[in-house]
Amino acid sequence: MAQNAKENLITQPPARSLFFFALPMIIGNLFQQFYNMADSIIVGNLVGEDALAAVGASYSFTTVFIMIAIGGGIGASVLTSQYLGAGHYKEMKSSVYTFFITFVVFSTLLAILGFFINPTVLHLLKTPENIMPDAVAYLQIYFVGLPFMFMYNILSANFNALGRSKIPLFLLIFSSILNIVLDFWMVGGLNMGVSGAAVATVIAQGIAAVISFVILMRLLATYSVEGRVERFRKDMFATGVKIAIPSIVQQSIVSIGMLLTQSAVNQFGLSALAGYSAGMRLESLCVVPMIATGNAMSTFTAQNLGAGKSERVRQGYHAAYGIIIGFGVVLILISQLFYQSILSVFVEQGESAVAFETGTSYFRFIGLFFSFLGFKAITDGILRGAGDIKVYMIANLINLAIRVAVAQLCSPVWGIQLIWYAVPMGWIANYLISYCWYRTGNWKKNKLI
């Protein structure tokens, strides 16, 4: 039974297997967004605009670490997927163990670093002084629980690498609901404010991480192998790191761009920051199907290359365009027709006109370009899944450079709207570079095993 999930990705029609593999990842990632969205909605409504701005200022920083965890897990799991596709189950198990140990140690070091440097980072981002104490308190609690968040995301990446994308979905639904319940209790019932939202997130993620670990160990036991499985292999670590680092860069581009451009937004005042934070959260929600489809494309590519089926990868890539365009049309309709009712969940229109207008402007504009992020994601997914990382990483760095340069240099002169324009400019440049490299066919030569 353990092998059935793998067979779906290497034998069923590419469009069908990609869509139904990506669907639980999409739904699961939507629930992942509910962690911080719940914090914003509950804090914004029960505490006020200053508290919302504090969580928003923290969100850009925390998202960088979330994307490092997701990117690291996806990159490292490429090797696991290729071993699975080739039927090398002993090596597959070693790959899972090696990267789990690696990221537990790495996340602990990051947690210590983040705990102590977050006030400095917030000052560098020009965070308004009146929200600084709440933002620092939120981040310090968040970093205490960072290893749990890393642990959960690495385990989820391994489930996806094994073709079991439904397991992370169920766990995310459970932990998201738990997080919301704890938010209401700690923020509203116990009057803990922003700190209560952070504590609720850490508890929910910690419980989900422990349950995930138990389930994965039981799943791995269903794959029969002969002899002792090595728990840590240096050769796998070296290969995985080469793939994981560009994957971390790619996954982090959006969040690092948000973080670096936030200092430009901060110059326009507290209300503009609150509105931008609300619009940014809606963007994070809307890009989920695009990024998840790209991640599914990565696993699809790795498993099929491991099985020696490069032609199926090309077929899957063409099918992925149809999936992305379908999601893009839906997102355009949502962003243009329902923006007021959606944004009012975060910011009351009558309470803060500047915040509402800023959030509306950003969300309506960026909603027209989500498909380009999807095209970038699926093209990057092929290169990542094949282990072809050089051009892929360069393209993502250029994406980041465009976003930051336009936001920092142009917005002080021509207004906050220039920050909006920088985002699709980066996406399109990234896509064109990755696509041109995909067309060369060099990615087919990068099988890792």
Side-chain angles (χ1 to χ4, degrees):
M1 183 176 178
Q3 286 80 7
N4 290 340
K6 178 200 76 170
E7 295 298 329
N8 290 341
L9 289 180
I10 65 176
T11 60
Q12 289 190 1
R16 173 184 172 82
S17 58
L18 253 181
F19 179 77
F20 285 103
F21 179 64
L23 189 59
M25 295 171 66
I26 292 168
I27 299 172
N29 287 342
L30 288 173
F31 275 93
Q32 176 88 54
Q33 294 296 329
F34 287 165
Y35 274 120
N36 282 319
M37 282 189 65
D39 292 347
S40 291
I41 294 170
I42 294 170
V43 167
N45 283 279
L46 296 183
V47 185
E49 186 178 304
D50 283 4
L52 173 62
V55 175
S58 305
Y59 177 70
S60 295
F61 193 28
T62 60
T63 302
V64 173
F65 290 87
I66 292 172
M67 291 305 174
I68 289 173
I70 294 173
I74 292 169
S77 67
V78 166
L79 198 58
T80 302
S81 294
Q82 290 201 9
Y83 280 126
L84 179 67
H88 299 164
Y89 301 129
K90 187 174 181 179
E91 290 79 3
M92 178 199 75
K93 287 187 175 186
S94 289
S95 175
V96 171
Y97 296 142
T98 295
F99 295 112
F100 179 76
I101 293 170
T102 298
F103 281 100
V104 167
V105 174
F106 178 57
S107 65
T108 301
L109 296 175
L110 277 181
I112 295 170
L113 177 66
F115 184 90
F116 289 106
I117 70 166
N118 77 81
T120 303
V121 172
L122 290 171
H123 279 295
L124 290 173
L125 293 173
K126 302 181 179 67
T127 303
E129 288 298 326
N130 60 315
I131 66 171
M132 183 67 74
D134 276 344
V136 170
Y138 184 91
L139 285 172
Q140 287 181 333
I141 295 169
Y142 176 87
F143 281 113
V144 169
L146 188 72
F148 289 115
M149 186 271 288
F150 259 79
M151 179 179 170
Y152 173 77
N153 280 284
I154 297 303
L155 293 169
S156 294
N158 280 308
F159 284 127
N160 292 331
L162 298 174
R164 299 304 186 94
S165 58
K166 291 181 181 179
I167 294 176
L169 167 62
F170 296 139
L171 288 169
L172 271 170
I173 292 174
F174 162 74
S175 59
S176 297
I177 293 172
L178 177 61
N179 182 51
I180 292 170
V181 171
L182 291 174
D183 267 340
F184 275 114
W185 178 46
M186 293 184 175
V187 177
L190 301 180
N191 295 317
M192 292 175 64
V194 170
S195 296
V199 172
T201 298
V202 169
I203 293 174
Q205 288 179 337
I207 293 174
V210 173
I211 296 174
S212 297
F213 179 77
V214 173
I215 294 174
L216 181 62
M217 292 303 102
R218 291 182 176 178
L219 178 60
L220 289 178
T222 64
Y223 290 88
S224 300
V225 299
E226 294 183 2
R228 177 177 171 271
V229 176
E230 294 185 63
R231 300 292 179 177
F232 186 89
R233 284 182 48 174
K234 293 181 180 179
D235 58 331
M236 289 185 179
F237 171 79
T239 302
V241 165
K242 288 192 293 186
I243 306 300
I245 289 176
S247 181
I248 288 171
V249 172
Q250 187 265 337
Q251 291 291 316
S252 301
I253 287 302
V254 173
S255 56
I256 293 174
M258 289 176 181
L259 181 65
L260 295 178
T261 56
Q262 183 175 302
S263 60
V265 176
N266 287 343
Q267 299 177 47
F268 292 91
L270 187 61
S271 293
L273 173 60
Y276 175 71
S277 298
M280 192 170 56
R281 290 182 183 280
L282 292 177
E283 176 193 347
S284 297
L285 194 62
C286 290
V287 302
V288 161
M290 307 307 184
I291 294 176
T293 304
N295 293 343
M297 191 74 234
S298 179
T299 301
F300 182 88
T301 299
Q303 287 197 15
N304 280 281
L305 285 183
K309 297 184 176 184
S310 61
E311 179 59 24
R312 271 182 61 83
V313 176
R314 187 186 64 81
Q315 294 170 358
Y317 180 58
H318 292 163
Y321 272 93
I323 296 172
I324 292 297
I325 291 171
F327 284 131
V329 170
V330 172
L331 291 174
I332 287 174
L333 293 175
I334 290 173
S335 64
Q336 303 308 308
L337 299 179
F338 304 106
Y339 63 92
Q340 287 189 333
S341 57
I342 296 174
L343 197 67
S344 64
V345 173
F346 297 92
V347 182
E348 290 292 336
Q349 187 171 4
E351 187 176 303
S352 179
V354 173
F356 193 84
E357 182 181 350
T358 302
T360 296
S361 173
Y362 182 70
F363 182 54
R364 293 195 72 192
F365 177 81
I366 206 67
L368 300 173
F369 298 95
F370 287 135
S371 290
F372 288 99
L373 173 63
F375 299 154
K376 158 192 139 44
I378 60 174
T379 309
D380 284 349
I382 283 191
L383 302 183
R384 182 174 61 243
D388 194 355
I389 59 175
K390 292 181 181 179
V391 174
Y392 152 79
M393 187 163 66
I394 291 171
N396 279 275
L397 289 173
I398 290 174
N399 174 7
L400 176 61
I402 290 173
R403 293 186 61 175
V404 174
V406 173
Q408 293 287 350
L409 299 177
C410 299
S411 65
V413 180
W414 288 289
I416 196 172
Q417 286 77 17
L418 265 294
I419 296 173
W420 310 174
Y421 302 152
V423 177
M425 288 170 62
W427 289 346
I428 292 169
N430 189 157
Y431 166 61
L432 292 176
I433 294 169
S434 294
Y435 179 75
C436 289
W437 187 248
Y438 160 79
R439 292 286 296 175
T440 68
N442 288 332
W443 54 273
K444 298 177 185 178
K445 306 172 186 177
N446 280 274
K447 185 177 175 182
L448 299 175
I449 63 173

